[in-house]
């Protein structure tokens, strides 16, 4: 399927590694010119360079989206070669060990600033151009914890619910404009860092030594009907479709991609 992204420009925040990197690579493979964003210049440039070596078009934007000044730096770099048509708000932080009893209000505010307000900063900076041109895509990357929270990471779960709500509210604001707003609520993502963490946990629990031995037990902690943890590319495929003209009738919704997750 030709997603018709040739000629479009996309900014993917937090794309110097992990899921954001996979999304940037997928959009570039579909013909979009991508802006790879990160705070570490060397790591961000390495991703952009790799995309260009694979035949894609990529530049970088460096800045801390937790601040207004950093967001403005990213905006300026992102639009230097042309306007942004597709904004993927992916940047976010989380703390798997956080619980209600040891997560002070300041930690809630910090996570909310990075995971929610960073998206607001970029929407407010890039949306006017999309509206003026009468076409655009704004995509929030959230987590299934936004609608299925647990006792751990309460602040992270709350920010994901806020991201989903943000996407729906923005769609109402953008009615009849040609710009759509949606969210993708991701389940487990088997990034290299996540796999390393799970292998370490599994070995400590005595589940085995290799990933093949440990994976079935980790999936059992958060079961789904598919029976495995998805790789970043599987999420990137959905984001690429949402970014395409073919997805123009999808608006104001949160798409859950979690393998059919269910409670134990």
């Amino acid at each position: 399927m030709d997603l018709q992204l040739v000629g479009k420009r996309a900014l993917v925040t937090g794309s110097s590694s992990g899921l954001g990197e996979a999304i940037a690579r997928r959009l570039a493979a579909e013909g979009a010119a991508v802006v790879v964003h990160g705070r570490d210049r060397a790591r961000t440039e390495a991703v952009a360079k790799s995309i260009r070596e694979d035949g894609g078009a990529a530049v970088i934007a460096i800045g801390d989206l937790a601040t207004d000044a950093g967001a403005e730096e990213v905006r300026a770099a992102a639009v230097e070669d042309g306007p942004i048509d597709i904004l993927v708000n992916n940047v976010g932080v989380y703390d798997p060990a956080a619980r209600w009893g040891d997560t002070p209000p300041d930690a809630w505010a910090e996570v909310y600033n990075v995971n929610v307000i960073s998206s607001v900063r970029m929407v407010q900076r890039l949306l006017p151009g999309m509206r003026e041109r009468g076409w655009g895509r704004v995509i929030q990357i959230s987590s299934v914890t936004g609608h299925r929270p647990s006792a751990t990471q309460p602040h992270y779960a709350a920010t994901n619910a806020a991201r989903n709500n943000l996407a729906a509210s923005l769609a109402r604001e953008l009615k009849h404009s040609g710009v759509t707003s949606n969210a993708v609520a991701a389940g487990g993502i088997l990034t290299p860092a996540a796999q390393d963490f799970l292998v370490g946990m599994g070995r400590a629990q005595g589940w085995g030594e290799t990933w093949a031995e440990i994976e079935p037990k980790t999936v059992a902690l958060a079961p789904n009907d598919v029976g495995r943890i998805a790789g970043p590319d599987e999420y990137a495929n959905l984001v690429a479709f949402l970014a395409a003209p073919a997805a123009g009738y999808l608006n104001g919704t949160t798409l859950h991609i979690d393998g059919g997750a269910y409670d134990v």
Side-chain angles (χ1 to χ4, degrees), residues 17-19 21-22 189-199 211 230-232:
S17 64
L19 177 57
E21 177 183 351
I189 307 172
L190 194 61
T191 62
Q195 184 169 332
D196 288 345
F197 171 81
L198 292 171
V199 167
W211 176 241

Side-chain angles (χ1 to χ4, degrees), residues 62-248:
I62 306 299
D64 183 359
L65 299 184
T67 69
D68 289 340
E72 184 55 30
E73 290 172 358
V74 172
R75 182 208 65 80
V79 302
E80 187 172 348
D81 294 330
I84 294 297
D85 305 294
I86 301 159
L87 170 61
V88 182
N89 282 317
N90 167 75
V91 73
V93 294
Y94 64 98
D95 179 3
R99 300 187 68 90
W100 273 95
D102 57 12
T103 307
D106 285 352
W108 282 72
E110 181 180 356
V111 169
Y112 196 89
N113 181 40
V114 175
N115 291 4
V116 181
I117 304 302
S118 69
S119 293
V120 175
R121 290 186 177 102
M122 297 317 300
V123 166
Q124 291 181 340
R125 283 168 170 79
L126 296 174
L127 191 59
M130 295 182 190
R131 298 185 79 157
E132 183 178 342
R133 295 187 302 280
W135 196 92
R137 299 287 185 262
V138 180
I139 303 167
Q140 308 293 330
I141 306 301
S142 69
S143 160
V144 294
T145 62
H147 66 276
R148 198 168 60 245
S150 66
T152 59
Q153 303 189 80
H155 53 351
Y156 174 67
T159 62
N160 283 302
R163 283 193 177 205
N164 298 340
N165 189 282
L166 183 160
S169 174
L170 186 60
R172 305 292 87 76
E173 167 69 17
L174 294 170
K175 64 181 180 181
H176 306 161
S177 69
V179 184
T180 63
S181 168
N182 293 289
V184 171
I189 307 172
L190 194 61
T191 62
Q195 184 169 332
D196 288 345
F197 171 81
L198 292 171
V199 167
M201 181 184 72
R203 288 172 177 169
Q205 295 290 329
W207 294 344
E209 290 296 318
T210 68
W211 176 241
E213 295 170 324
I214 292 168
E215 182 179 20
K217 295 180 175 61
T218 63
V219 173
L221 296 176
N224 62 64
D225 293 322
V226 175
R228 59 178 175 81
I229 304 172
D233 288 347
E234 295 177 273
Y235 296 99
N237 289 338
L238 177 57
V239 174
F241 175 72
L242 279 178

Side-chain angles (χ1 to χ4, degrees), residues 8-12 15 21 23-37 47-48 51-52 56-61 78 81 84 86:
K8 305 297 185 185
R9 297 190 73 244
L11 168 62
V12 184
S15 50
E21 177 183 351
I23 293 171
R25 290 183 181 279
R26 185 72 175 88
L27 292 174
E30 287 294 332
V34 299
V35 180
V36 181
H37 162 259
V47 173
I51 290 173
R52 292 192 296 268
V59 296
I60 68 169
D81 294 330
I84 294 297
I86 301 159

